[in-house]
Structures are given as structure tokens and as C-alpha cells.
Amino acid sequence: MISRLSLKYRIALVILVLEGVMMTMVLWQTLGLSLKSAAEQSALTHDMLTGLVSDLSRSALLTGEYADLQLYLEHVQKEPTVEAIYVADTESHVVSGIPAAMVGKRLPALKDTGPYFWRTEPISISGGSLGTLVVKFSNAALERANAHVRDVGIAIAAVGMLLIAVVGIITGFALTRRLDGISRAARRFADGDLNVQTGVHGKDELADLGQTVDSMIRQVTEGQERLKTQSEQIRLLLEFSGEAIYGIDTAGICTFANPACVKLLGYEHEDELVGEPMHKLIHHSHEDGSPYPAEQCRIRQSFALSGGIHADDEVFWRRDGSCFPVEYWSHPVVRQGTVIGSVVNFIDIAERKAVEAELQNYRQHLEQLVEERTAELTRVNRELEAFSYSVSHDLRAPLRAIDGFGMVLLEDYQDQLDDTAKAHLRRIRAATQRMGALIDDLLLLSRISRADLKKEHVDLSELADAAIQRLKQQDREREVTVDIASGLTAWADANLMRVVMDNLLDNAWKYTGKTHRARIEVNASNESGQTVYRVRDNGAGFDMKYADKLFGTFERLHSADEFPGTGIGLATVKRIIQLHGGRVWGEGQIGQGATFYFTLEQPPGSATRRPGNGR
């Protein structure tokens, strides 16, 4: 019945019931408190008296002077509650007391009767007991005072209860009215109204409660919105993720699975996986069908690894009993420092495995082709070496014969030959000599193409100087100013760099043959962290529109009659520079000279010295 009443009526009913109880309790408590208060006051007085008398008696018992003690006891006896007071020695003989007739006698029997009661207090010092203080008190005056207090208390309690009843009922109704507002707001919020407010204002506790409820509603509403947004994001992430994802608890039981996981494993709905042991369902065997014990499962082992685990050498099993190779990642989920499960995401790598297998086949086939091509190249190189040997010996023999017989004719039969015949013989000899030089250059170019580099620190300044000295020995009548920077070094094959410097300086020497005050320079500079070497002359030069033909085999920009040569030298230079990982190019103007540049690959940390003093 009571449970059907609203809170305000319950409070009113409780107040009415409590009023009846309070009337009885107040009366009872009034009397009790009155008696207790009086008793406590009396006891306090008695304690104080006995304490003071005990202290004074201690001195009297020690000295045996009881006159002053007797006077003090007479003064104490005037206290309304004190009926008699005795100080006895250790043998219970009264040495001082009121009434004085008891002095010298033994203590009387101590028996409480009616409103009278006895208090006994030992008198002692650190050396032992001195005697006993005995006081007889009377409660008659206390009982009269308690009766008066009881009457006054009952009157005050009756009036107070009446006021409390009136104020309590009014307060109950006011209190429940504001509580009703909070209760209605809470019910509406529980029903889903997220915009509800209690409407309770003020500065008291109920206002604080209402404002707290309003703040709680706002926080819960904001939290629900955040959770809703996060849940939607997680749902979309799981639903539209291209990777299959599922979660397990520490027992290996599936807690969720996204659509990609369900589809990839051959199921129709997430519910077919949730609540199932995933190892037993999809990870129970190796690819060959041998059992995969759960205690060896690396996904389960990831619980103990803070960084998770990754694997791409296992298989998962579909619902239809087929398996497929997977790459998976297992990351433990930690809540408040405790691992509660793991999230596993995986992909089907069957296509990747097929591609890898195909690439492996291609790799093996390519290795086989490389071996075959290497064997073929080795055979061709041997044939080319045989051909080079044939050219260097078989072709040189008839050329030497032609040159030799031409020389014999010029020397032994010059008197029988006219000038025309002698000129023809000299041309024949010159042609055979050019043919020999061309054969030598071709053989050199062929050998360079097959050369094995033996890189070391090479002094290019020294190689250039040696080439110039050779040229000066061959043509002693020429006056050429040569400036070779000192300290030019390179990381290269010494023999091949000698060929480069010989060819470039041969060209410079040759094409300055018709230049007055001929000059040749060899130096280098650092450009963008790379060393660029250069050989410059002030000779015949060339037209830059033909620069692309400079390094071609048999390409010449001048006739053999004007400047002799085979057209192989610059092609040889280019081949050597390319073998060293560098590049070579030329710049020039007709009649203004030419400059040939080249770069070389250098070891890490190496540095080419800048040009120093010329030689």
C-alpha cells in the first residue's frame, strides 16, 4: 500500500509516524539526559572533592599533623551532597573525619542505602599505601533537581514536537516538489529524451543535485554522441576494410568478425563465427594436412608479445574444407595492463604465392639463359681472339712484304725509276703503313672492350708528361708550349688511362701542327662535387655541329692528307672512359682550338687535387 504512494506523501506519512515516536522518545530522552547530566555533574563534583581531600590527606598522613585536615574536612562537609567524610590510616583507623566522633575508631561498614552511597579513594605514594579516604554522598538534592528538569523538559518537548511537525510537513512538500522535477527529468532521460533539463535552481544541496544531474545528462549525451560516431567509424572500417579482421579472447573464442573475414572463410554471417574457437575452426592443420596443435599457434602466442606477431607461411581453412595461404598480423588487446584478447587481420596471398612461384621459375630460366649466353659469349670471345690473332699475324705479313719490297725498289732501283714511279711507290708504302696502324688501333679497341679493370690511384700528371716527352722525341723540330697541372690523380686502371692520355695528347699535338705558337694544357676542376679533367689545345679545332661524330669509329672531321690518322683514337678513349663509369665530350671552334673533357668514377671519400703549377 505504502509503495503506491508518491514520495511526498510517503515523507508526510513518515513525519507523522516519527512525530508520535519522537514524542515518546523526547520525553524518555529528556528524563534520561536530565538524570545523566545531573549524575555526571554530581560525579564530577564528587571526583573533584575526593581528589582535593586525597591530596591534602596524603600530606597529613605523611606528617601526622591532622588539625588542618580536620578543619578542611569540616569545610567540605558543608557541601549539600556530602553526609560524612573519613580519612583512615593503613589499619582502617579514622585519623580525621566528620562527624568528629569517629576519629580514633575503625571505619564503619560501608553500605549504600536509599539516596546515600559511599566513595572510597586509596591514598598512596610511590613508596606504598598511606591510607584510605571514605566519603558518604547523598543524591536527595539531585533527585529534586531532576524532577524539576523533567517537568520543564516535557513542556519544551511538547511545544518543539508541534513546531517540528508543522515545519516537517511543509519542508517535506517543498523538498518533494523539487525532487519531483529531478525525478521527472531522470525518467524522461531514461526514456531517450537527451535534451531534458531538471529546471532546479538555487544554491542549496537540491540545486547542486539538479545541476549535477543536468551536467551528467549533458556529459552522457556528449559521450553517447562520441560513442555513436566512433562506433559508426569502427563499423564502417570493419565493414569496408579490404582486409579480413576478427577478434578473439584469451581462450581463443571469436568475439567479432568483419564481412571480409566472413566471406573469405566461406561463411554467410558473422554469427557463424562469433563464440566459436577460431583455431579449431580455421587454423587446425598445416597445409599438408598435419595437425597444428593450439599450444603451438603463433596467434595464441602473441598474447605474451607486446608488439604482436606477423606470419606469411601458414594457411587458414575455409568452411568447405579447402585451405588457402595467408599473411596475418596478430596484435594483443590490453585493458588496464591486462591482455584481454587479440585482433587478427589477414589477407589471402594465394595469388602472390603463384606470382612468386612463377618469378622463381623465370629466375631459374633466366639463370639458365645467362649461363648459356655466357658460354656463347665465351665461345665468341675465343673466336674473336683467334680472329684478332689472325689479323695481327696473317694480315701483317703481306703488308710487311708490300712495304719491304716497296722500300727495296726505292733503294735498289731508284736510278731506273722516274719520279712518277718513285711517288707511286712512296704512296704504296704510306698506305701499307696506315693499314698497319689501323690494324693496331682496331686490335687495341677490341682488347679494351674485353679488358678487366684493375683500379688504383693513378698519377695522370705523370702519364701526360710521359706522352708529351714521347711526342717531343718523335718530332724534335716542333716548339710547343705544354702546361700540365701537377697532382692530377684518379681512381682507374693505369694501363688504360695511359692509352687515354696518349690518344688525347696525340690529337692535341697533331692538330696544333700548323699553329704558330702552339699550346697544350692538361688540368682539372671540381664542378658540383665531381672532378672534370680536360686536355685543351689552340690548334685547328672543329665545327660543333659535327661534335656527335667525334667519338665514332672511323669518323674524321679532317682529311688524312691534312692531318694523318685512323679515326679510332677518340672511339678508344670513349670506350675506356665508359668502362670507368665516366663520360667524355669535346668543345671547339674552327681555327680556335679544341678542348676534350672527361670524368671518372671515384671511390667514396676520395678527392682529386686541384691543378697546381704547370710543368
Side-chain angles (χ1 to χ4, degrees):
M1 182 66 179
I2 296 178
S3 60
R4 298 180 181 179
L5 298 177
S6 63
L7 181 59
K8 61 185 177 181
Y9 292 114
R10 293 185 193 181
I11 293 177
L13 180 60
V14 169
I15 290 176
L16 291 175
V17 173
L18 288 177
E19 283 181 355
V21 176
M22 286 178 62
M23 290 179 65
T24 304
M25 294 296 296
V26 168
L27 181 59
W28 178 266
Q29 289 295 325
T30 300
L31 294 174
L33 290 174
S34 176
L35 293 173
K36 182 178 179 181
S37 176
E40 289 176 351
Q41 184 64 37
S42 178
L44 182 61
T45 302
H46 297 165
D47 290 341
M48 182 181 66
L49 287 174
T50 55
L52 291 174
V53 175
S54 176
D55 290 339
L56 186 60
S57 300
R58 184 179 298 107
S59 299
L61 289 171
L62 286 171
T63 61
E65 298 293 334
Y66 303 115
D68 291 338
L69 177 60
Q70 184 67 25
L71 292 175
Y72 183 74
L73 294 182
E74 290 175 356
H75 180 73
V76 171
Q77 199 273 333
K78 294 178 181 180
E79 169 65 33
T81 62
V82 178
E83 292 295 323
I85 182 169
Y86 305 113
V87 176
D89 58 16
T90 55
E91 296 179 356
S92 299
H93 289 96
V94 177
V95 296
S96 181
I98 300 296
M102 290 298 296
V103 174
K105 299 179 180 180
R106 293 185 65 84
L107 287 173
L110 306 179
K111 183 178 181 181
D112 296 338
T113 57
Y116 304 101
F117 64 94
W118 294 89
R119 286 282 303 274
T120 303
E121 182 75 18
I123 302 173
S124 61
I125 59 174
S126 58
S129 176
L130 296 176
T132 304
L133 171 65
V134 178
V135 184
K136 183 180 182 181
F137 292 101
S138 173
N139 285 332
L142 180 60
E143 290 179 354
R144 289 191 299 271
N146 285 340
H148 176 71
V149 171
R150 180 178 62 247
D151 295 340
V152 174
I154 291 173
I156 294 174
V159 175
M161 283 189 293
L162 179 60
L163 292 175
I164 290 174
V166 174
V167 174
I169 293 173
I170 295 173
T171 304
F173 275 86
L175 180 63
T176 55
R177 179 178 61 81
R178 303 177 76 190
L179 285 175
D180 281 344
I182 298 175
S183 177
R184 286 193 299 270
R187 284 196 299 269
R188 290 176 58 188
F189 178 71
D191 292 337
D193 186 356
L194 301 181
N195 297 318
V196 67
Q197 293 291 308
T198 62
V200 177
H201 303 287
K203 297 182 179 181
D204 58 3
E205 289 78 2
L206 278 179
D208 289 342
L209 176 61
Q211 293 169 8
T212 300
V213 171
D214 290 342
S215 176
M216 180 187 68
I217 291 174
R218 287 194 300 271
Q219 293 178 6
V220 171
T221 301
E222 294 172 358
Q224 286 183 341
E225 290 296 329
R226 289 194 299 269
L227 287 175
K228 183 178 180 181
T229 301
Q230 293 174 356
S231 297
E232 182 65 16
Q233 291 174 345
I234 293 174
R235 185 189 66 81
L236 292 175
L237 175 64
L238 292 176
E239 183 173 349
F240 295 103
S241 174
E243 291 188 0
I245 305 173
Y246 70 87
I248 57 174
D249 59 19
T250 54
I253 304 301
C254 181
T255 55
F256 72 88
N258 72 335
C261 173
V262 174
K263 180 179 179 182
L264 195 56
L265 294 176
Y267 292 86
E268 296 180 357
H269 196 272
E270 177 186 4
D271 293 341
E272 296 179 86
L273 295 174
V274 174
E276 297 295 330
M278 291 301 283
H279 183 82
K280 182 178 180 181
L281 200 65
I282 69 170
H283 206 195
H284 49 78
S285 302
H286 294 288
E287 185 176 8
D288 59 3
S290 60
Y292 192 174
E295 59 271 12
Q296 298 178 8
C297 177
R298 283 188 277 183
I299 295 176
R300 299 286 295 275
Q301 293 173 357
S302 68
F303 292 151
L305 303 175
S306 58
I309 196 168
H310 167 253
D312 60 357
D313 56 352
E314 297 182 5
V315 298
F316 281 175
W317 294 82
R318 299 187 183 92
R319 184 179 187 179
D320 60 8
S322 62
C323 67
F324 59 96
V326 294
E327 180 177 14
Y328 67 79
W329 296 260
S330 178
H331 302 280
V333 178
V334 180
R335 178 182 298 168
Q336 297 179 351
T338 302
V339 176
I340 62 172
S342 180
V343 174
V344 181
N345 57 304
F346 64 93
I347 56 176
D348 183 350
I349 58 172
E351 184 175 349
R352 188 175 80 188
K353 290 289 187 179
V355 171
E356 290 176 353
E358 186 174 357
L359 287 176
Q360 181 63 25
N361 292 333
Y362 284 148
R363 189 178 298 108
Q364 293 175 354
H365 180 63
L366 181 60
E367 291 175 354
Q368 182 179 357
L369 289 178
V370 169
E371 292 178 358
E372 293 175 355
R373 294 295 185 272
T374 302
E376 179 68 16
L377 182 60
T378 302
R379 183 186 62 80
V380 171
N381 284 335
R382 286 198 296 267
E383 292 179 355
L384 182 59
E385 290 175 359
F387 173 75
S388 299
Y389 180 83
S390 175
V391 167
S392 63
H393 292 81
D394 297 345
L395 291 182
R396 284 177 184 275
L399 289 176
R400 284 195 298 269
I402 294 172
D403 184 45
F405 283 111
M407 183 178 64
V408 169
L409 289 174
L410 285 173
E411 293 178 353
D412 296 346
Y413 298 95
Q414 58 179 334
D415 296 337
Q416 302 177 22
L417 298 175
D418 56 17
D419 292 338
T420 301
K422 293 177 181 179
H424 289 330
L425 286 173
R426 283 193 290 270
R427 289 180 179 178
I428 291 172
R429 289 195 64 201
T432 57
Q433 291 171 1
R434 285 198 302 273
M435 185 66 177
L438 180 60
I439 292 173
D440 290 339
D441 289 344
L442 285 174
L443 290 174
L444 176 61
L445 182 61
S446 175
R447 286 195 298 271
I448 289 173
S449 300
R450 304 189 308 274
D452 293 329
L453 297 183
K454 297 179 180 179
K455 290 186 177 182
E456 58 183 322
H457 288 288
V458 179
D459 189 337
L460 296 184
S461 299
E462 184 178 338
L463 294 181
D465 185 64
I468 291 296
Q469 295 304 322
R470 175 180 55 79
L471 292 170
K472 287 182 177 181
Q473 289 292 329
Q474 294 175 358
D475 194 353
R476 297 178 180 272
E477 296 181 358
R478 286 197 58 187
E479 292 291 335
V480 180
T481 301
V482 180
D483 184 5
I484 302 175
S486 62
L488 297 179
T489 61
W491 180 254
D493 185 294
N495 292 328
L496 295 182
M497 291 311 300
R498 181 178 291 106
V499 174
V500 169
M501 299 308 295
D502 285 349
N503 277 284
L504 292 179
L505 290 171
D506 281 352
N507 267 5
W509 187 275
K510 176 172 59 179
Y511 288 109
T512 56
K514 300 179 181 180
T515 302
H516 180 62
R517 295 181 179 177
R519 181 178 180 83
I520 299 174
E521 299 176 4
V522 180
N523 52 42
S525 63
N526 190 293
E527 299 179 9
S528 301
Q530 185 178 39
T531 302
V532 178
Y533 305 91
R534 65 174 63 87
V535 176
R536 176 180 294 145
D537 66 69
N538 62 344
F542 60 89
D543 192 338
M544 283 296 291
K545 68 180 180 180
Y546 301 116
D548 58 335
K549 296 183 178 181
L550 284 173
F551 301 97
T553 306
F554 303 120
E555 294 284 357
R556 291 179 52 80
L557 302 185
H558 301 274
S559 65
D561 292 337
E562 186 179 6
F563 295 102
T566 61
I568 303 296
L570 290 180
T572 302
V573 169
K574 181 178 181 181
R575 186 70 56 84
I576 294 174
I577 297 302
Q578 287 178 337
L579 285 174
H580 284 80
R583 62 190 186 96
V584 61
W585 69 97
E587 295 177 357
Q589 290 183 349
I590 297 176
Q592 300 296 320
T595 304
F596 288 90
Y597 304 88
F598 67 91
T599 63
L600 297 170
E601 183 180 24
Q602 296 180 349
S606 65
T608 300
R609 292 170 55 185
R610 299 298 301 274
N613 298 325
R615 299 185 181 180

